[in-house]
Structure formats: structure tokens, C-alpha cells
Amino acid sequence: MKISESKYRSCPYFLANAVARKIEKLATEAWKGTDLSPSHAYLLMLVLEEPGVQPGCIADQLQLTPSTITRLIEKLEEKKLVMRTTEGKLTNVYPTPKAKEMKAVLKECSEEFYGQYTKMLGKDESRQFMQSLMKMADKL
Amino acid sequence: MKISESKYRSCPYFLANAVARKIEKLATEAWKGTDLSPSHAYLLMLVLEEPGVQPGCIADQLQLTPSTITRLIEKLEEKKLVMRTTEGKLTNVYPTPKAKEMKAVLKECSEEFYGQYTKMLGKDESRQFMQSLMKMADKL
DNA sequence: AAAAAATATTTGTATATACAACAATAACTC
DNA sequence: GAGTTATTGTTGTATATACAAATATTTTTT
């Protein structure tokens, strides 16, 4: 059933969730080859771009709570993709050599994802949707 | 941090999730008085409007998977708000008297939610965002 | 300098959701 | 009509995420 045929079509609650889940699926597909979920992949990309970045900063940038970041980092540590060092109350997160080797693949996945997203929505609309989402994220 | 200041501002993955989570919060707040999560509340409203509706149909309308619907119904059954009857492979879900008494309150919460949503985004933009979300949900 | 407040991170616990496998029934085909 | 396929719903299990409380450290206040 297309969502537009549902009685709940005009409910922002289900719409927002449905859209998020569909994008999640698209992203999961794109990053499949890396054996990382999109969240883990983005966190890793962030750490690769800013080695030593702190969990709190990651939380801000990815719009997730600190506790979620801790959990994501734990999993990446298990996979030997990041390392934590703690001094005082601050923690720094660094990519391992293994992670650095993945840089190119991660970028490809990222492009695959954007490509799919743009393809499905159309060039103009995909940009417009992004704008809408950005405005919503800021205003809510 | 506003999401627009993040390096990942232009990533539909995080934007869509961030928007969904913010709307989730808004909705949770609106339905607080009922002791139901927004998903449970919507399911209950649907059952009140279409007594005897089948789980598969609920799944379609709320854009959730059948297994999730089963879990939501289980919880509503525990709270004595719905009842299931099974004949053959089909199941019907009915509201209990207790649920019927809640009808008015549920409607109030629903209006509270839309009100807040519209207030935060502005009248015109909130409608426009809905349109965007609907288009996205259908195209993705 | 001691006490209080603020900050950064982690841990314990709970929730919503999904997927895959299963079970039960109905429909179809030959 | 017996065997196969499709439909409907549930269960077992896994995941991402959040909140609240705990911990550890730094900063501020008095």
C-alpha cells in the first residue's frame, strides 16, 4: 500500500518515521559491503576525518545521544577500527590503520547512497527534500 | 548544536532520522497523559475507527511490519484496551469498552500534537513539509 | 582550600522496531 | 481430491537508540 492511500497519510508522525526507515534501508544497502551499519559507518568516517575527535563532539555532529555514541564506539573497537584514549574526563577517538585502509571503500558507499537517493527522488526534488528536512530539523 | 552547523548537515540519512526523532518526542509529549506511546495510541485510534480491523491491514496503514503490530497489540491487550479473536488464519482486533471511553482524550492528544507541530514550523511550512514527506514516502 | 557546581563519559535498563523462521490456514492446480 | 503454493499471523532473536543514574574529573564559588 502506498502511504498516500492510508488514512494516516496526513500524519507527520508516521510519515517522518516511514521516510526515516526507508532512507535507513537505502543506506543499509549501500554500506552492506562494509559490514557496518550506516551509523557505524558515519561515525567511522567522522573519526577518519577528525582523528582524536571526542565522543561529545561526535554526538553533536551525528545528532545522537552520548550514550549511543559510546555504544557505537564499543562496537567499532571490537572490530579494531577505532581506539580510545582517556585523559582526565576527556576521551579521544582515533582510527586504526585497518580503518584507514577502508577510507576509499567508505567513500564509495557514501556515493552509492547519495546516488540511489537522488535517483529515486529525482535531481531537483531530492535537493528540495533535503532543504525541507534541514529546515524541519532546525525548527523542531 | 543546530544540525545546520554540523558537517553532516547535508546527509539525508541523519537528517531524516533527526527529524523523525524530534517528531517522536513531540508526539510522546502530546500523548503523555494517556500512558501510551504514539504508536500504541495510533493503533488504538485505528481500531476504534475500524473495529475488527485485521493486523495485516493495520500494518499497511501504519507502515509498520506485521511482527511489530503483533507486539503493539500484545501490549494493548495487557492494558485491556483491545481484544483479538481468531478464526482460521484471520484475526480481528476490537476495542474494549475501556478503549471507547478514551476516544475523546485520544482525539485531544492528537490535536495537541498537530497544534504543536504547526506552531513550531509555521502554518504554511508545516503543510509544505507534510507534502514533502508524503512525496518522499511514496517515492522511496 | 574545601565545597559545590558543571562537564564528559559510561553503564544499567528499557523500548520500538525489524528480519527470519515458523505455524496455521486457505486457495489453486493438475 | 491430494499436493503445492500463497496468505496471515506469531515467535525467537537482534539492533539501534534513549533516558536516568553513576562515575570521574574539572571549574567555580565562597
Side-chain angles (χ1 to χ4, degrees):
Chain A
M1 181 191 282
K2 279 205 153 190
I3 197 162
S4 56
E5 289 156 17
S6 153
K7 218 195 147 188
Y8 291 87
R9 64 188 174 289
S10 56
C11 173
Y13 175 73
F14 284 104
L15 277 175
N17 279 307
V19 166
R21 281 192 298 268
K22 286 178 178 187
I23 287 188
E24 176 87 42
K25 238 180 205 170
L26 213 62
T28 303
E29 195 60 29
W31 270 280
K32 212 176 185 177
T34 64
D35 201 35
L36 292 174
S37 77
S39 296
H40 289 100
Y42 273 108
L43 199 162
L44 186 54
M45 288 190 288
L46 179 51
V47 172
L48 280 163
E49 276 173 30
E50 301 178 38
V53 65
Q54 286 156 16
C57 176
I58 299 176
D60 276 346
Q61 294 205 51
L62 302 190
Q63 299 271 301
L64 296 169
T65 61
S67 67
T68 300
I69 299 303
T70 299
R71 299 282 146 81
L72 292 172
I73 292 173
E74 275 169 6
K75 195 155 262 175
L76 290 174
E77 254 181 341
E78 273 172 36
K79 297 192 176 203
K80 312 283 184 212
L81 290 171
V82 304
M83 281 177 43
R84 260 180 297 194
T85 63
T86 300
E87 281 185 56
K89 73 177 172 185
L90 297 179
T91 295
N92 295 95
V93 187
Y94 298 94
T96 63
K98 189 176 169 195
K100 285 175 193 162
E101 281 171 23
M102 288 179 67
K103 232 171 170 171
V105 178
L106 287 168
K107 200 179 174 203
E108 273 169 36
C109 294
S110 192
E111 278 160 11
E112 161 75 12
F113 169 61
Y114 285 106
Q116 276 297 322
Y117 166 80
T118 309
K119 190 175 158 197
M120 295 183 84
L121 295 179
K123 204 163 190 177
D124 291 342
E125 288 211 317
S126 64
R127 196 156 352 137
Q128 194 202 309
F129 290 155
M130 283 287 315
Q131 300 268 327
S132 282
L133 287 176
M134 262 166 75
K135 273 197 208 162
M136 288 182 86
D138 274 349
K139 290 198 172 184
L140 286 173
Chain B
M1 184 193 275
K2 282 204 154 194
I3 197 162
S4 56
E5 289 156 16
S6 153
K7 196 161 181 222
Y8 291 86
R9 64 189 172 287
S10 58
C11 172
Y13 175 74
F14 284 104
L15 276 176
N17 278 307
V19 167
R21 280 193 298 270
K22 286 180 179 187
I23 287 188
E24 176 88 41
K25 241 180 203 170
L26 214 60
T28 303
E29 194 60 30
W31 270 279
K32 211 179 188 175
T34 65
D35 201 33
L36 293 174
S37 78
S39 295
H40 289 99
Y42 274 107
L43 199 163
L44 186 53
M45 288 191 286
L46 179 50
V47 172
L48 280 164
E49 277 172 28
E50 300 179 37
V53 65
Q54 285 156 16
C57 176
I58 299 175
D60 276 347
Q61 294 205 50
L62 302 189
Q63 301 269 301
L64 296 170
T65 61
S67 67
T68 300
I69 299 302
T70 299
R71 300 282 144 82
L72 292 173
I73 292 174
E74 275 168 6
K75 195 155 262 178
L76 290 174
E77 256 182 340
E78 274 173 36
K79 298 194 177 202
K80 312 285 184 207
L81 290 171
V82 303
M83 279 176 46
R84 259 179 298 192
T85 65
T86 300
E87 280 185 60
K89 74 178 173 185
L90 297 178
T91 295
N92 294 96
V93 187
Y94 297 94
T96 63
K98 188 176 168 193
K100 286 176 192 161
E101 281 171 23
M102 287 179 66
K103 233 171 169 173
V105 179
L106 287 168
K107 201 179 173 203
E108 273 168 38
C109 293
S110 192
E111 278 160 11
E112 161 75 14
F113 169 59
Y114 286 106
Q116 275 297 321
Y117 166 80
T118 310
K119 190 175 156 196
M120 293 182 84
L121 295 178
K123 204 163 189 177
D124 292 342
E125 288 212 317
S126 63
R127 195 153 358 137
Q128 195 203 307
F129 289 156
M130 282 286 315
Q131 300 268 326
S132 284
L133 287 176
M134 263 166 72
K135 274 196 208 163
M136 289 182 85
D138 275 348
K139 290 198 173 184
L140 286 174

